[in-house]
Amino acid sequence: MFKMYFKIAWRNLIKNKVYSGINIIGLAIGLTAGFLILQYVNFEHSYDKFHSKKNSIYRVVADLDTPSSGKMESSRPACAVPPHMEEEFPEVISAVRFMRLELAVRKDEIKLVEDKAAAADRAFFEMFDFGLLQGDKKSVLQEPYSVVLTQETANRYFGNESAIGKTIRIKDEDINDLPFTVTGIMDEIPENSHIKANMIISMTTYSKGVLPRINDAWGLYDPAAYILVHPNTDPKQLEAKFPDFLERNSGETMRRDKMFVSLFLEPLEDVYLRSERGGEYSGDLGTIYIFSIIAIFILLIACINFVNLTTARSVERAKEVGVRKVIGAEKRQLSLQFVGESIIISLIAFVIASILAALVLPAFNEIAGKVISDGIFTNPINIAYLFLIALSIGAFAGIYPAFVLSSFKPVNVLKGNFSTGTRGIILRKGLVITQFTISITLIIGTIIIYNQMNYMRSQELGFDKEHTVLLPVTVSSAQKELKDNIDNISGVVSTTLASAVPGAYNNSAYSVIQNSQGEGQIANINAYFVDHDFISQFGLKVIAGRGFSRDFVTDSAQGMIINEKAVKFLGYASPKDALGATFSQWGKDGQIIGVIQDFHFKSLQENIQPLTMTMKPDETDLLAIKITGNNIKQTLADIQNKWEAILPNDSFNYQFLDENFDKQYRSQERFGSLFLNFAVLAILISCLGLLGLAAYSMLQRKREIGVRKVLGASVAQVVKLLSTDFLKLVTVAFLIASPLAWYVMNDWLSRFAYRISIEWWMFLLAGTSAIIIALATVSFHALKASLANPVKSLRTE
């Protein structure tokens, strides 16, 4: 029996190659797109779930509250918190600090800057399941000046030789070119981890070496902190003990500084996607929801195509059903036949989708900016998911057609009196409207996303970022000499030393600044440490007072410049009123000498925040070089020659400021690229369905078209007649999609501090595009039908 079912299904597919091909291709594209999106969503949810102790690991985070500036949420507690927690709480098995670093590394003639380096406490490899290929996880990070490398990093410095026990020289702003012993080789950290590093030095390098007081630094908020607790520990009960813990250790300091700290615990599995405190590597749960909905939409469109085409063609199979019923076929058997045909189509589409997914996956990884999967055949569960999705679509999509086809009355259909009725027509129209509602929503979304990203790229930032080269300089004694030598290069316009530049990491400094009430206002405020040339080189506008000047020797010791936001933060009515206000910051006391116009020193996703600038030479480890833009290659070579002459043991490593600043928008640009690609696929699948439905509609109306042409109807009139019905459906879809798209995209735009307005023309453009696409799709068959010889179409009746 099943063999006969299969034969009938196969013959039906071969007989109707066009409709079968449209169904299979539409389903295959839908399955491929849905599968890739679900892979992405599943990967994002998999972050940090591979650790065996994940349910007992928590990240320690802090709230910093001051009377004047309010609460600031931090993803990092004070550096002293983790070691003291391990000592004082019996619930805590171990505590680990993880500090991101950029290290200058040297091995003989090999000199590199490792920007994915880190420092971690001894228990790092015991807490987390980052495998060690060589070394003892209990001791590899125990001694000062020890380092663990990934195999790839070890190969860069030692080739094929064993690296264990050998040394490399490491330098940063605290470590002054010291030898480190390789104590371990670790696996590459998985992509789905928010903790990333290719080399890790021991935290004891700081606590027992270069920064011996770091374990008692209650005001330093740099490393991330994690604790491993006993399995039965209630995190809320442990959190309840933190206020007393802080009072015992830093109560007097908090009251003196008027900065009050609260500590909280975040489950490890929530850090990447669900934490609102962010971090260098964090995901976006809203993006996951959007892509999940898109995946469902694409699969839904593919299902709609199948149901539409199958029910539309039910008339052709009416006589087949009638004959089979007369000779004894039961409704159940007929239903099974048609559901089986649906599943066969889905399984053929599954095979094609598997091949397509394998071919497209590398490009998808590139667009996503991470390796979602090495290949769909790497993990058999991936194929199982795709197979189940295809099987489910086939079964679900075949239920309604099977019900309709198996319900035909044999007496009526054999007499030729069968008609699909209004219910079938209403269903098909409703499904077409649903398809194009989804497609138009995605078109509107794509237009809004594109315009928002274009707005962010073209927005006036308030500073000059063009043709600026950034050069990290960690050797403070060489900074002045290097700056002076590079200043003399013909292609160099100017140079400036700073602790940070717009778009790069900047410090927040504990500050007490006189406010409009004459009181010392305490705040952790953004702080730039710069030299005399910073303001002029970046084209910042001084709107009150003056910038730093070599004519005033007190500027370097007592001067501060603030931005407009800081003026408002301190309560002054105008920038001029803030001049002369006193301050105390990081051991420096003085007065505000100038106010600069606000500029975007962070991403446009954030509001401009208060900012201070002071001159602090021992904190400036970045040389910004403004070049002419003429013969850039030669200018960079000249800069490198000066570098190698002054710092022969340090690697020459540079970036362009505009590229560095634009990195902030990469995640949103990737989101936009993925959204655009899947929107195009959704529209393509909708058009395939419309193409098949239009072809069948023309076939059904051949006699009507022939009669109209005999009576004198022109080609244009026939095309208009046949296209109007479909365009009405697209118009209805547009009216439904517009408010839906506005609601969704308005919510998406709310994440940006600086955003576009949703304009009426965006909806008009999307609607017009959908109508043109639908018209082009339908008109092909409409034109073909209108040009056909009416004699032939009437003779076939």
Side-chain angles (χ1 to χ4, degrees):
M1 183 176 67
F2 288 105
K3 184 178 180 181
M4 182 58 66
Y5 286 164
F6 181 81
K7 281 185 177 180
I8 294 171
W10 182 253
R11 287 171 182 168
N12 189 57
L13 291 177
I14 297 300
K15 179 183 177 182
N16 300 280
K17 296 183 181 67
V18 174
Y19 301 109
S20 299
I22 290 174
N23 255 343
I24 291 170
I25 293 171
L27 272 175
I29 294 174
L31 285 170
T32 303
F35 175 70
L36 291 175
I37 295 175
L38 293 175
Q39 282 284 90
Y40 175 81
V41 170
N42 183 59
F43 180 80
E44 291 291 284
H45 278 290
S46 72
Y47 267 73
D48 301 309
K49 292 186 178 180
F50 58 87
H51 299 290
S52 58
K53 302 171 185 175
K54 60 182 180 294
N55 294 327
S56 298
I57 301 174
Y58 295 87
R59 183 171 73 164
V60 184
V61 297
D63 282 353
L64 312 178
D65 196 1
T66 62
S68 56
S69 59
K71 184 176 70 174
M72 180 179 73
E73 294 182 342
S74 171
S75 61
R76 303 169 181 182
C79 202
V81 167
H84 283 266
M85 278 189 170
E86 186 173 347
E87 291 176 4
E88 298 185 31
F89 292 117
E91 298 94 333
V92 177
I93 299 173
S94 59
V96 167
R97 290 165 294 185
F98 184 82
M99 182 165 59
R100 288 276 292 109
L101 299 170
E102 185 173 288
L103 301 175
V105 182
R106 178 165 58 93
K107 171 67 171 66
D108 299 331
E109 299 302 316
I110 302 172
K111 296 175 289 183
L112 298 170
V113 174
E114 299 288 353
D115 59 357
K116 289 186 179 179
D121 281 306
R122 177 196 58 79
F124 180 79
F125 288 102
E126 295 178 89
M127 180 182 294
F128 300 106
D129 291 347
F130 300 127
L132 275 176
L133 302 175
Q134 298 179 58
D136 181 4
K137 63 182 180 181
K138 294 182 179 180
S139 60
V140 287
L141 294 175
Q142 186 167 347
E143 298 299 324
Y145 311 110
S146 57
V147 60
V148 177
L149 309 175
T150 63
Q151 186 65 67
E152 183 180 345
T153 305
N155 291 342
R156 283 204 296 269
Y157 296 100
F158 300 98
N160 295 326
E161 299 178 10
S162 173
I164 298 297
K166 296 180 179 177
T167 62
I168 54 177
R169 300 193 72 87
I170 293 178
K171 176 168 60 175
D172 74 352
E173 57 187 10
D174 298 309
I175 302 168
N176 187 20
D177 195 19
L178 298 174
F180 278 68
T181 302
V182 179
T183 55
I185 303 296
M186 65 179 182
D187 282 326
E188 296 292 331
I189 291 181
E191 184 74 41
N192 58 339
S193 171
H194 82 281
I195 297 172
K196 299 185 186 297
N198 58 16
M199 64 184 302
I200 302 175
I201 66 174
S202 59
M203 189 64 75
T204 52
T205 300
Y206 295 95
S207 61
K208 295 182 180 179
V210 295
L211 296 173
R213 293 188 294 176
I214 194 172
N215 284 356
D216 293 307
W218 292 93
L220 175 63
Y221 293 79
D222 193 6
Y226 304 86
I227 60 171
L228 174 66
V229 301
H230 289 286
N232 296 325
T233 301
D234 184 339
K236 293 300 179 183
Q237 291 182 3
L238 182 57
E239 280 183 351
K241 299 180 181 181
F242 290 164
D244 289 339
F245 165 75
L246 290 169
E247 177 62 30
R248 288 195 306 272
N249 289 284
S250 63
E252 291 184 11
T253 303
M254 287 192 294
R255 284 187 290 276
R256 182 196 66 206
D257 296 340
K258 296 181 182 178
M259 180 180 291
F260 300 95
V261 182
S262 301
L263 298 176
F264 303 95
L265 299 178
E266 290 183 337
L268 179 66
E269 292 181 88
D270 290 351
V271 171
Y272 177 76
L273 265 187
R274 293 176 175 82
S275 175
E276 296 181 356
R277 297 169 188 267
E280 186 168 0
Y281 298 101
S282 59
D284 185 348
L285 197 57
T287 299
I288 302 302
Y289 288 144
I290 289 173
F291 281 134
S292 297
I293 292 170
I294 291 175
I296 293 170
F297 279 174
I298 289 176
L299 293 173
L300 180 61
I301 289 173
C303 287
I304 288 172
N305 277 356
F306 181 83
V307 174
N308 251 346
L309 290 175
T310 308
T311 54
R313 292 182 53 245
S314 60
V315 176
E316 290 186 5
R317 303 195 67 180
K319 289 184 178 180
E320 174 195 340
V321 172
V323 171
R324 292 178 66 185
K325 278 196 169 186
V326 166
I327 62 176
E330 298 178 358
K331 185 175 180 178
R332 178 184 62 82
Q333 292 173 316
L334 293 171
S335 297
L336 186 62
Q337 168 71 48
F338 296 122
V339 171
E341 289 182 16
S342 172
I343 291 175
I344 288 172
I345 291 175
S346 293
L347 294 182
I348 295 172
F350 158 73
V351 173
I352 296 173
S354 299
I355 297 170
L356 285 176
L359 294 174
V360 172
L361 191 58
F364 182 71
N365 286 334
E366 187 174 345
I367 294 173
K370 61 182 75 176
V371 181
I372 304 298
S373 175
D374 292 326
I376 66 167
F377 301 105
T378 304
N379 189 352
I381 196 69
N382 295 338
I383 298 298
Y385 283 146
L386 187 58
F387 177 79
L388 288 174
I389 291 171
L391 198 63
S392 300
I393 289 175
F396 175 76
I399 289 174
Y400 180 80
F403 174 78
V404 172
L405 294 172
S406 63
S407 299
F408 293 165
K409 293 180 180 180
V411 175
N412 291 335
V413 296
L414 292 176
K415 286 183 178 180
N417 296 328
F418 172 74
S419 173
T420 54
T422 58
R423 285 190 298 177
I425 296 172
I426 291 172
L427 172 67
R428 288 193 292 278
K429 288 183 177 180
L431 293 177
V432 170
I433 290 171
T434 303
Q435 276 187 315
F436 273 87
T437 296
I438 295 170
S439 298
I440 294 170
T441 301
L442 293 176
I443 293 173
I444 295 170
T446 301
I447 292 170
I448 292 173
I449 290 171
Y450 172 80
N451 279 275
Q452 173 64 20
M453 297 312 301
N454 188 55
Y455 170 80
M456 293 175 70
R457 292 190 202 98
S458 60
Q459 180 73 1
E460 180 60 47
L461 299 173
F463 70 95
D464 181 8
K465 65 181 175 72
E466 301 303 321
H467 299 131
T468 298
V469 179
L470 304 178
L471 203 57
V473 188
T474 57
V475 183
S476 56
S477 59
Q479 289 177 353
K480 182 67 167 61
E481 182 183 1
L482 186 65
K483 173 179 162 60
D484 291 342
N485 275 267
I486 291 177
D487 263 332
N488 295 324
I489 295 174
S490 60
V492 172
V493 178
S494 61
T495 60
T496 183
L497 285 162
S499 62
V501 293
Y505 172 77
N506 56 279
N507 294 306
S508 60
Y510 177 82
S511 311
V512 182
I513 307 176
Q514 184 180 0
N515 61 23
S516 60
Q517 305 298 317
E519 302 170 343
Q521 188 159 326
I522 298 170
N524 255 338
I525 199 166
N526 293 290
Y528 274 20
F529 306 117
V530 302
D531 66 8
H532 294 94
D533 304 309
F534 186 89
I535 291 176
S536 59
Q537 178 164 316
F538 283 98
L540 303 180
K541 185 178 180 181
V542 178
I543 58 175
R546 58 180 177 81
F548 295 120
S549 171
R550 291 180 175 84
D551 296 333
F552 296 87
V553 293
T554 56
D555 281 4
S556 59
Q558 299 174 357
M560 173 181 277
I561 294 172
I562 62 175
N563 68 350
E564 293 175 279
K565 283 291 182 183
V567 171
K568 294 176 182 177
F569 171 72
L570 295 169
Y572 291 104
S574 70
K576 289 183 179 179
D577 295 338
L579 300 178
T582 59
F583 74 89
S584 177
Q585 183 186 80
W586 276 16
K588 176 181 284 191
D589 298 327
Q591 293 182 329
I592 295 173
I593 60 171
V595 177
I596 56 173
Q597 190 176 66
D598 283 340
F599 66 98
H600 292 277
F601 59 93
K602 291 186 178 181
S603 165
L604 286 170
Q605 289 180 256
E606 302 180 46
N607 285 308
I608 296 175
Q609 300 173 357
L611 174 70
T612 66
M613 291 184 185
T614 56
M615 298 182 66
K616 201 173 178 65
D618 56 336
E619 294 293 338
T620 56
D621 53 6
L622 193 64
L623 180 62
I625 308 165
K626 181 76 171 178
I627 61 178
T628 60
N630 300 322
N631 201 353
I632 293 176
K633 187 175 181 180
Q634 182 59 50
T635 303
L636 289 174
D638 293 341
I639 293 172
Q640 183 172 3
N641 290 336
K642 297 292 185 182
W643 174 278
E644 291 175 348
I646 297 170
L647 295 168
N649 295 326
D650 287 26
S651 172
F652 178 72
N653 185 48
Y654 70 90
Q655 290 180 314
F656 281 96
L657 176 61
D658 54 351
E659 294 176 354
N660 189 67
F661 193 85
D662 290 344
K663 285 180 182 178
Q664 300 173 101
Y665 308 121
R666 281 185 183 173
S667 62
Q668 294 299 333
E669 287 175 348
R670 286 170 183 152
F671 169 78
S673 296
L674 287 171
F675 195 98
L676 172 62
N677 280 279
F678 289 121
V680 169
L681 284 177
I683 295 164
L684 175 61
I685 298 170
S686 296
C687 289
L688 282 174
L690 193 59
L691 185 68
L693 202 57
Y696 187 77
S697 177
M698 307 310 157
L699 183 66
Q700 291 296 102
R701 301 179 71 176
K702 279 171 58 177
R703 185 180 180 189
E704 176 191 346
I705 296 168
V707 171
R708 287 180 179 273
K709 289 193 71 177
V710 169
L711 294 176
S714 66
V715 172
Q717 288 174 324
V718 174
V719 171
K720 179 181 177 183
L721 171 72
L722 298 176
S723 303
T724 301
D725 288 342
F726 290 101
L727 294 182
K728 286 178 181 177
L729 300 180
V730 175
T731 303
V732 172
F734 169 73
L735 296 175
I736 298 172
S738 295
L740 177 64
W742 181 89
Y743 176 80
V744 173
M745 297 315 298
N746 189 60
D747 180 68
W748 181 75
L749 286 172
S750 66
R751 306 177 190 181
F752 297 88
Y754 300 90
R755 47 170 286 186
I756 62 170
S757 298
I758 300 179
E759 304 286 350
W760 63 268
W761 62 265
M762 298 176 180
F763 297 93
L764 181 61
L765 177 61
T768 304
S769 301
I771 289 173
I772 291 172
I773 291 169
L775 188 61
T777 304
V778 173
S779 294
F780 171 77
H781 286 293
L783 189 61
K784 184 179 178 182
S786 63
L787 292 173
N789 189 336
V791 175
K792 290 183 179 180
S793 61
L794 291 173
R795 184 182 294 162
T796 59
E797 294 297 322

